[in-house]
Amino acid sequence: MARPGLADRGVRSGWLRPDRAIGAAVVAGFVVCALVPGLIAPHDPLASLPDGLTATGAPRPPGDGGFLLGTDLLGRDLLSRVIYGARVAVLIAVVPNLIALALATAVALTAGYRRGLTETVLMRLTESFLILPVFLIAMAVIATFGSSTATIVLTLAFVSWAYPARVLHGEVRRLANTLHVEAARSLGAGALRITLRHILPHLTPIIVVYFTMNAAYMVLLEAGLAFLGFGVQPPTPSWGLMLADARDQFFRPWLIVVPGATLALLCIGLSLLGNISERDSPFRARRVLL
Amino acid sequence: MGDRNGHGGQQGIIAMAAAAPIRRRSFLAGAAAFGALGVTYAPSRGWAMTGIDPATIPGPAWQGGQRGGRGINVWQDTKVDFDPLLAFGRADYYNLSNFFRGLTFLSEGSEPQLDLAEAVEISGDQLTYTFTLRDGILFHHGRPVVAEDFRWTIERAVSPAQASWVQGFMASVAGHADFVAGTADRLAGVTAPDDRTLVITLSAPDARLLAILGIPPYAVLPREEVERLGDAFRETPVGTGPYRLSSFDSAGSRMVATRFEDYIYRDHLPYLDEIEIRWNVTEDLQYLQVSRGDADLSMSVPSSVVGEIAADPELAARFSTPNSLDVQWWTLNVGKPPFDDVRVRQAINHAVNLSRTAAFGVNPTGHLYPPTLLGYADSAPVYAHDPDRARALLAEAGVTGLEMRVGVMTSATADNVRIAQLFAQDLEAVGIAVVLEQRQESAFDVAADLRENYHMWNMSWGMGLPDPSELATNHFGTGGSANLAGYSNPAIDALAQAALGITDRAARGLAYAEIEAAVLTEAPFLFLGIRPLNSLRSARLQNFVYDPAIWTYWDRYWVSDA
């Protein structure tokens, strides 16, 4: 008999509930936009279009002149900029998130399993990161090292690994005392094998949940930085930059509503997707010895 | 408004004074005609009449108003500083004349007229200016003003301890170099032989002197109050102006000033009982407050609402866009190849379509000088938008595959980011890749970083002295304090030095026009134009007169519902 797939397991376990399905669909939609924006966007997101402004030089509201979401102050198509803006959002949601969680997991496994002085040093370091004002630190780092994509990615990872590390550390300490780990140790397994084969799999549900939560946090953080001029730089389409550009445009509400609603939609999608408990997660470890 | 050809300007003052001392009556003879036409205010309260001839009150027309009420002006600055030497923002600098007045006062067209000086006698060689002060001038704290106060004020403005931006304006005063260098205790060229006489001796003729004395940093200060208050003076302006401070709320970002009842022109001005100055008010909020009547005057409503204002006849009647001395350009880093090649700099100027910036609050003249400035000439060789010419110049210079790093200073207005993106589109059309980087700082705070890392950055300069020498000295003269890219051209320096010594206004205008043409050709900047003021006033505010150097004249505005 064939082994059931992830979707089948999700439906059977109750994981693929409607809210999560909606979240998954929303996130998937943005991922597609990020991967192939050129196939979806109707216009070049950087080009000031000949008919992008009205006769008086004003941006076009949604629906006017064939522009579904309207145009911005430079006569650029907002729909195309929103679609291309997903590239930045998805990149920021995934890459620094993975780096941060990898770092958090490594710190938690090392500190939680080795204990002693190593644990003390690593966890006090982690806690010292927790008290830092994240936004200000991010602004300072980017202001110092520039606003290249690599700097932004590393900065976001740098300011967001500590909290999951603190949570995962507690779980590692609990798992380190379970029977299956004791059994592995009795059988002569080394520290590396035990942490990677017998503890790490049990952290997966927590990591997945944190990934989705952190993704929304990262997207909002990047948008906030871009809003203040510290994120990606114009003319790159970025939702945060679009919001920043619209902040004095209260007679043109679509300039604020379009990127704002898009940002909110992705964050809601990520939150719905991440609304998972360990029990019904398809990623939970299959063999647990307690 | 601005009269760049100088009719009635200071050359007229000098020519008249060379023949005979100028008295206020003859100095302001033209204004007397205005006075005869207007309705002079007759005070209803019981303070002593000054007997001042209303025709001798300097500045724009003021007659016909009614006394009473409060006027509110709103500004975007996040902080203010009312020490005249330290006021760099709009909210503080352009409100200084409400608290401080000087020997002269800049009227419309930035024309200097005698103010606290009753007369000035200028020697035949134009090296000695002898001012006679008006009788009965009082500081806000009640002490009579004497000539020594002016001497001390000028010395303070020039002193090395202050290192003020106006220090160099008095360079032609005898003994300036020694005093600034610290080798002399006194500024020898300024003396006060008696309480009502101030003598300024120059080492070389300087046609700008009367205008310099009319800018707020040279307004008279009471030494004992400045020293007693120390840093608190920056929030406690004490001068001789039409209003005196009654409350200063730093946390609430507002201050209130009431009519100074011993003001020298108290029989006539000011009209308002109180003025309120609010800062930390964003441009969009300024628009909402003034359009609704919650405030009376904004000088910077956002360009994004100009279309909405134009569509409303009632609002449009209260809106104006007077020219300013707020010069806009993008500095090209002449120290960084290939921008050391004039052909590349000219190519940049030809590549950009300035007309598109008009949507973002710019009057894209393409000039170095503001239209109201002496020396501005329509015939100046400004650059036409010509991408083909730009490509040809780049090819001639052997430049291909150029990538420009552009610093965008966003502290002044978000429009700079939009303009930068327009420029990037134009430059990419001629084969130049552009990388924009927003910076929150002022260009002056990060000058070394700009020189090191960028090929171009935006600059905005609100001219404090309505004279082209300010740009020549500070921005494109060798070693100028604001010449951030280090541009240097000895030939242009020589022209600027020669122009300083010309006392005939028309001749000065021609000399400075020649300098502008030379700078345009050299193209150390991507020339943009000026940022006119998007000025909106309330329906109740009357007699809104304006000048590019002084901006507002709250001593002669009145409100209709007082």
Side-chain angles (χ1 to χ4, degrees):
Chain A
M1 187 175 166
R3 186 180 164 201
L6 187 67
D8 291 337
R9 283 195 287 150
V11 173
R12 287 182 190 178
S13 68
W15 173 76
L16 204 56
R17 298 187 323 215
D19 55 344
R20 292 170 190 155
I22 292 170
V26 168
V27 172
F30 281 110
V31 170
V32 170
C33 287
L35 291 175
V36 287
L39 297 180
I40 304 167
H43 299 284
D44 178 351
L46 303 182
S48 294
L49 302 168
D51 53 351
L53 298 173
T54 65
T56 58
R60 292 188 182 279
D64 185 37
F67 297 100
L68 188 62
L69 298 182
T71 60
D72 71 3
L73 293 160
L74 271 61
R76 298 174 297 198
D77 178 40
L78 268 191
L79 174 60
S80 301
R81 289 186 67 75
V82 161
I83 290 170
Y84 273 87
R87 287 194 306 187
V88 172
V90 171
L91 172 78
I92 294 299
V94 173
V95 179
N97 204 359
L98 286 176
I99 295 172
L101 287 173
L103 181 60
T105 305
V107 168
L109 285 171
T110 307
Y113 188 75
R114 289 186 66 88
R115 309 292 294 271
L117 181 62
T118 304
E119 180 183 42
T120 302
V121 171
L122 285 176
M123 294 324 293
R124 294 303 82 76
L125 179 69
T126 304
E127 284 154 5
S128 68
F129 268 80
L130 286 175
I131 62 169
L132 294 177
V134 169
F135 208 79
L136 289 179
I137 294 294
M139 286 168 64
V141 172
I142 292 170
T144 305
F145 295 104
S147 54
S148 68
T149 304
T151 306
I152 294 167
V153 164
L154 291 175
T155 302
L156 293 179
F158 175 74
V159 299
S160 58
W161 64 273
Y163 193 77
R166 193 75 183 82
V167 174
L168 289 170
H169 167 253
E171 184 65 6
V172 171
R173 282 189 60 166
R174 187 186 70 79
L175 288 166
N177 293 321
T178 54
L179 287 176
H180 78 284
V181 172
E182 286 293 338
R185 200 177 289 127
S186 300
L187 289 170
L192 188 62
R193 182 180 176 84
I194 289 172
T195 51
L196 293 183
R197 292 294 303 272
H198 300 289
I199 296 179
L200 181 59
H202 296 281
L203 300 178
T204 310
I206 301 176
I207 293 172
V208 169
V209 170
Y210 264 97
F211 181 84
T212 54
M213 286 171 56
N214 250 5
Y217 173 69
M218 295 280 188
V219 170
L220 286 173
L221 186 59
E222 190 283 326
L225 289 169
F227 183 84
L228 295 176
F230 288 91
V232 296
Q233 296 296 307
T236 306
S238 150
W239 302 337
L241 277 177
M242 292 166 74
L243 282 169
D245 194 42
R247 63 186 148 186
D248 60 350
Q249 302 295 318
F250 50 81
F251 277 111
R252 290 144 182 167
W254 69 92
L255 295 177
I256 298 171
V257 170
V258 168
T262 307
L263 188 60
L265 185 62
L266 176 58
C267 291
I268 290 169
L270 287 166
S271 296
L272 292 175
L273 190 60
N275 188 17
I276 307 168
S277 67
E278 184 186 354
R279 189 188 61 76
D280 57 7
S281 168
F283 301 103
R284 71 190 160 98
R286 281 166 292 161
R287 294 184 295 278
V288 180
L289 293 173
L290 295 173
Chain B
M1 290 262 301
D3 181 356
R4 64 177 184 275
N5 295 315
H7 300 302
Q10 71 187 59
Q11 172 57 24
I13 299 174
I14 292 170
M16 290 163 65
I22 304 172
R23 311 307 297 186
R24 301 192 61 82
R25 184 172 296 279
S26 59
F27 184 78
L28 296 173
F34 265 121
L37 292 172
V39 179
T40 301
Y41 168 74
S44 58
R45 296 173 62 175
W47 58 78
M49 297 287 286
T50 61
I52 284 181
D53 181 350
T56 65
I57 295 175
W62 53 271
Q63 293 84 352
Q66 56 182 343
R67 190 163 280 195
R70 170 185 281 206
I72 301 171
N73 60 114
V74 287
W75 305 84
Q76 187 168 16
D77 308 63
T78 54
K79 59 182 180 180
V80 293
D81 189 328
F82 280 90
D83 182 331
L85 296 184
L86 300 175
F88 290 113
R90 292 180 168 192
D92 43 26
Y93 189 84
Y94 293 113
N95 271 301
L96 287 177
S97 62
N98 292 318
F99 301 101
F100 305 98
R101 299 295 280 260
L103 292 167
T104 61
F105 186 65
L106 299 180
S107 184
E108 285 178 300
S110 304
E111 176 198 347
Q113 299 178 339
L114 294 181
D115 189 3
L116 300 186
E118 188 175 67
V120 57
E121 183 176 341
I122 305 173
S123 64
D125 59 5
Q126 297 180 19
L127 292 178
T128 305
Y129 287 64
T130 304
F131 294 92
T132 304
L133 303 188
R134 304 191 64 111
D135 192 19
I137 311 166
L138 294 178
F139 283 117
H140 293 160
H141 66 304
R143 180 172 70 74
V145 175
V146 293
E148 170 61 18
D149 293 313
F150 284 96
R151 192 204 64 75
W152 180 81
T153 298
I154 293 171
E155 206 170 78
R156 177 177 185 262
V158 174
S159 75
Q162 295 290 334
S164 164
W165 67 281
V166 299
Q167 184 183 63
F169 290 171
M170 287 284 174
S172 56
V173 172
H176 180 274
D178 290 338
F179 183 67
V180 169
T183 55
D185 294 335
R186 285 283 183 100
L187 182 58
V190 183
T191 57
D194 62 55
D195 283 353
R196 290 189 60 197
T197 306
L198 183 81
V199 180
I200 298 179
T201 307
L202 306 183
S203 53
D206 187 343
R208 308 169 304 163
L209 183 66
L210 293 174
I212 292 170
L213 292 170
I215 63 175
Y218 283 100
V220 66
L221 306 177
R223 178 176 186 169
E224 70 277 15
E225 285 297 288
V226 174
E227 292 177 346
R228 181 182 70 82
L229 291 165
D231 271 351
F233 180 68
R234 301 164 74 169
E235 295 182 353
T236 318
V238 181
T240 59
Y243 298 98
R244 60 181 298 179
L245 181 71
S246 62
S247 69
F248 188 98
D249 178 2
S250 182
S253 301
R254 65 180 58 195
M255 63 195 290
V256 176
T258 53
R259 177 205 317 282
F260 177 37
E261 297 197 348
D262 289 321
Y263 181 48
I264 191 68
Y265 308 123
R266 59 184 174 273
D267 297 345
H268 311 281
L269 296 174
Y271 288 119
L272 296 167
D273 289 338
E274 288 184 330
I275 57 169
E276 180 178 335
I277 301 164
R278 297 176 186 164
W279 60 95
N280 217 357
V281 183
T282 59
E283 290 184 342
D284 48 359
L285 194 54
Q286 289 179 33
Y287 167 69
L288 290 175
Q289 289 186 352
V290 177
S291 61
R292 290 164 53 89
D294 296 334
D296 293 302
L297 184 63
S298 163
M299 300 300 282
S300 58
V301 296
S303 54
S304 58
V305 302
V306 170
E308 280 70 19
I309 292 174
D312 181 336
E314 197 275 328
L315 274 180
R318 299 193 263 129
F319 179 70
S320 59
T321 54
N323 278 325
S324 72
L325 293 175
D326 190 352
V327 198
Q328 310 277 315
W329 68 81
W330 291 65
T331 299
L332 294 167
N333 193 347
V334 294
K336 217 173 180 58
F339 295 92
D340 52 350
D341 187 327
V342 67
R343 293 167 298 186
V344 177
R345 304 196 298 263
Q346 291 173 337
I348 300 295
N349 276 277
H350 276 303
V352 166
N353 182 1
L354 296 182
S355 65
R356 294 204 295 165
T357 65
F360 301 112
V362 173
N363 176 2
T365 63
H367 281 255
L368 170 64
Y369 295 163
T372 55
L373 197 68
L374 178 74
Y376 179 93
D378 291 330
S379 58
V382 297
Y383 292 88
H385 177 222
D386 188 347
D388 291 336
R389 177 73 182 134
R391 289 187 200 96
L393 283 165
L394 289 171
E396 198 179 308
V399 172
T400 55
L402 176 60
E403 181 181 287
M404 281 181 76
R405 283 176 56 81
V406 177
V408 187
M409 307 296 143
T410 59
S411 56
T413 168
D415 283 334
N416 285 333
V417 183
R418 297 159 187 153
I419 290 169
Q421 292 177 79
L422 293 177
F423 286 173
Q425 291 175 351
D426 292 337
L427 291 169
E428 281 165 9
V430 299
I432 300 173
V434 176
V435 177
L436 303 178
E437 191 167 327
Q438 297 180 84
R439 300 295 300 255
Q440 318 301 318
E441 310 93 333
S442 151
F444 298 101
D445 295 336
V446 290
D449 188 39
L450 293 176
R451 272 195 304 274
E452 178 68 25
N453 293 312
Y454 299 100
H455 297 102
M456 185 169 82
W457 58 86
N458 57 303
M459 279 288 291
S460 170
W461 184 259
M463 296 179 64
L465 179 67
D467 190 276
S469 63
E470 182 180 336
L471 293 175
T473 304
N474 291 325
H475 290 283
F476 53 83
T478 301
S481 60
N483 184 353
L484 303 187
Y487 174 74
S488 176
N489 185 317
I492 291 176
D493 290 344
L495 287 173
Q497 187 60 39
L500 274 180
I502 300 173
T503 54
D504 178 80
R505 184 173 171 85
R508 288 189 80 230
L510 290 173
Y512 278 107
E514 184 185 359
I515 291 171
E516 187 192 31
V519 176
L520 286 166
T521 305
E522 275 283 286
F525 312 134
L526 165 52
F527 302 96
L528 181 50
I530 62 161
R531 180 168 287 277
L533 300 172
N534 288 339
S535 164
L536 185 68
R537 63 178 176 82
S538 68
R540 63 198 283 273
L541 189 73
Q542 306 297 310
N543 194 39
F544 174 62
V545 283
Y546 162 85
D547 169 70
I550 293 293
W551 282 28
T552 55
Y553 294 93
W554 279 95
D555 61 343
R556 59 204 68 201
Y557 299 162
W558 67 85
V559 288
S560 54
D561 56 354

